[in-house]
Amino acid sequence: SSGINAEYGDFRIFVGDLGNECNDEMLYRAFSKYPSLLKVKVVRDKRSNKTKGFGFVSFKESSDYIKAMREVNGKYIGNRPCKLRKSTWKDRQYTVVKKKNAEKQRLGLKI
């Protein structure tokens, strides 16, 4: 499936392996050359404010999404090379994970 999120009509990338020095501005700079960049977010722990090591980036155009997936994966954002994969904001919600696992069990797949 494509990385499109029909509910919002945008294309989202999960950005993994971010160091604690990484912030929204650094993430924005890493993807700012793509004209349809919509939103960036480094996910942080609410109490400590440290990064959880990942973030999300979204694009309006699939062409920018595809180029970014190809060109930015493995590039350094801060002190570490990032790992990209397609994502939706919903991936983070526990209920979705439970549903996916239940579906996998029903199909006889390993969770």
Side-chain angles (χ1 to χ4, degrees):
S1 73
S2 72
I4 194 164
N5 182 331
E7 189 178 339
Y8 298 101
D10 63 357
F11 295 84
R12 299 196 175 165
I13 295 175
F14 170 93
V15 185
D17 281 3
L18 297 176
N20 195 47
E21 77 290 347
C22 201
N23 57 30
D24 289 358
E25 187 186 337
M26 291 169 80
L27 195 56
Y28 178 83
R29 281 201 308 261
F31 291 91
S32 61
K33 75 175 195 175
Y34 304 101
S36 74
L37 179 66
L38 292 174
K39 186 175 180 181
V40 301
K41 177 82 179 136
V42 174
V43 178
R44 296 187 169 277
D45 181 272
K46 283 181 177 64
R47 284 194 301 270
S48 69
N49 207 34
K50 287 187 172 176
T51 72
K52 292 196 171 185
F54 65 93
F56 295 91
V57 181
S58 68
F59 300 92
K60 189 79 186 136
E61 302 297 331
S62 63
S63 56
D64 284 342
Y65 162 86
I66 290 163
K67 272 192 253 176
M69 285 289 276
R70 203 170 32 230
E71 296 169 2
V72 182
N73 191 34
K75 294 277 191 303
Y76 277 76
I77 300 176
N79 299 330
R80 297 183 186 172
C82 65
K83 286 198 174 91
L84 305 185
R85 62 179 170 83
K86 68 179 180 159
S87 182
T88 67
W89 301 115
K90 286 184 191 166
D91 281 345
R92 296 186 303 157
Q93 294 175 354
Y94 180 63
T95 52
V96 173
V97 173
K98 275 180 66 174
K99 278 184 195 164
K100 283 181 181 173
N101 287 346
E103 182 66 10
K104 283 180 183 174
Q105 272 187 323
R106 197 179 65 75
L107 296 170
L109 302 171
K110 284 185 180 149
I111 298 173

